[in-house]
Amino acid sequence: MADHFFPLKDRFEVAEGTMAFVFDTSSEPDFSFRAGQYVEVFIKNPPYIDERKDHRDFSITSSPGDKNILMVATRLTGSAFKRSLAEISLGTVCKVEGPFGDFNLHENKDKKAVFIAGGIGITPVRSIIKDATEQKLPHKITLIYSNRNPAGTPFLKDLENFENENPNFKLISKMTEETGQVDANFIKESLGDLSNTAFYIVGPPGMVQGMTKYLEELGVSRDDMRFEEFTGY
Ligand SMILES: Cc1cc2nc3c(=O)[nH]c(=O)nc-3n(C[C@H](O)[C@H](O)[C@H](O)COP(=O)(O)OP(=O)(O)OC[C@H]3O[C@@H](n4cnc5c(N)ncnc54)[C@H](O)[C@@H]3O)c2cc1C
């Protein structure tokens, strides 16, 4: 398992209550990952400590094309770990393990991809869509992205920009305060033809289970579903 030691280079808000953290990877020019993978971030001697461990899993939300940086993003829940991450000085070196996971875009360009994400579940999806846009991949990609309201929607502007740049990417943004939750009807009406499609569902376990049930109701086979569960939420 690869251990890396990267200084925290920057942090900024990407939505109300959600912050991005950027690590400088320039000390390891060969560090690489596939869009959609995650890392474990450790803080040595954190300023705040609780009974939980000193590290968290975070999906990488930058793309492999973003040179010399690795960006993650998280909801600031008030946990000791996250308060520490939000307060340690820029330049603090953190241990980063990974990359891990296989939540990556399929290779068959003739098969459509549909991502269903809510809130912070967007992190690996942003990486995959940014990568597909930068590499001009031919895959037809749709994202159903559910949030309470625009102010609380991480990376909304970036996704709108990817949609403008990438003729193969369609963003379906659902603001639940205004128009209700994503359900089977909404998925069917938004997508129409569900055949020849790989579905990617990402977010807290409850959300992943709920969306899986809707897809099953719509006749989608489990063989055509991939999951990334953010256990811990
Ligand atoms: C593959 C993967 C990718 C992920 N990617 C992201 C990401 O991109 N962004 C992101 O924000 N999160 C991501 N997560 C989730 C992340 O790792 C954290 O679990 C999550 O952010 C919650 O952390 P926290 O510090 O806010 O809460 P925690 O302090 O970890 O608490 C989380 C839950 O555990 C409960 N809990 C607290 N202490 C204990 C205890 N001692 N024993 C049992 N339960 C306890 C809490 O009540 C709470 O319900 C990912 C997880 C996985 C597995």
Side-chain angles (χ1 to χ4, degrees):
M1 187 186 308
D3 286 358
H4 312 274
F5 294 89
F6 297 141
L8 182 64
K9 180 188 165 87
D10 199 5
R11 67 187 149 217
F12 47 88
E13 206 176 57
V14 290
E16 272 172 9
T18 303
M19 197 159 229
F21 297 86
V22 182
F23 293 92
D24 179 350
T25 63
S26 58
S27 60
E28 284 189 45
D30 292 337
F31 176 78
S32 66
F33 64 93
R34 294 184 67 197
Q37 288 193 293
Y38 69 96
V39 288
E40 280 182 18
V41 176
F42 293 71
I43 306 175
K44 200 176 171 194
N45 302 322
Y48 305 104
I49 297 175
D50 60 17
E51 75 277 15
R52 287 267 284 159
K53 50 198 190 304
D54 64 351
H55 66 277
R56 296 288 184 276
D57 296 330
F58 293 124
S59 297
I60 304 170
T61 195
S62 46
S63 74
D66 289 327
K67 287 297 161 224
N68 295 328
I69 62 144
L70 179 155
M71 181 164 76
V72 299
T74 190
R75 263 194 15 229
L76 296 177
T77 54
S79 72
F81 180 87
K82 291 183 181 175
R83 276 187 289 144
S84 299
L85 198 55
E87 285 187 28
I88 55 173
S89 314
L90 295 184
T92 301
V93 174
C94 295
K95 185 169 87 165
V96 174
E97 280 187 8
F100 304 110
D102 54 7
F103 189 73
N104 311 118
L105 187 63
H106 57 266
E107 289 193 350
N108 178 1
K109 64 179 172 40
D110 297 322
K111 188 162 189 165
K112 292 174 282 182
V114 169
F115 290 87
I116 304 180
I120 196 61
I122 195 61
T123 47
V125 184
R126 178 188 185 272
S127 179
I128 291 169
I129 293 169
K130 186 171 191 291
D131 186 51
T133 303
E134 287 166 349
Q135 299 217 51
K136 300 194 181 341
L137 295 184
H139 299 64
K140 297 276 181 226
I141 302 175
T142 303
L143 166 62
I144 296 178
Y145 187 23
S146 163
N147 287 274
R148 271 203 283 276
N149 53 45
T153 302
F155 301 116
L156 184 57
K157 191 77 214 145
D158 289 353
L159 294 162
E160 288 168 354
N161 289 341
F162 300 150
E163 192 180 32
N164 288 334
E165 277 173 53
N166 182 347
N168 293 319
F169 169 51
K170 184 174 175 202
L171 170 65
I172 299 173
S173 183
K174 174 93 166 145
M175 297 301 160
T176 59
E177 263 180 14
E178 293 154 22
T179 57
Q181 305 287 329
V182 171
D183 59 14
N185 260 343
F186 181 79
I187 295 171
K188 177 71 187 145
E189 279 170 17
S190 305
L191 301 176
D193 177 18
L194 304 180
S195 65
N196 191 32
T197 304
F199 289 85
Y200 296 78
I201 312 169
V202 51
M207 177 268 178
V208 171
Q209 282 156 26
M211 293 303 144
T212 304
K213 198 171 130 279
Y214 293 144
L215 291 178
E216 283 177 338
E217 279 170 31
L218 293 168
V220 175
S221 160
R222 283 256 177 172
D223 290 349
D224 290 324
M225 297 184 209
R226 295 187 185 196
F227 311 99
E228 188 75 309
E229 288 199 4
F230 284 9
T231 45
Y233 272 119

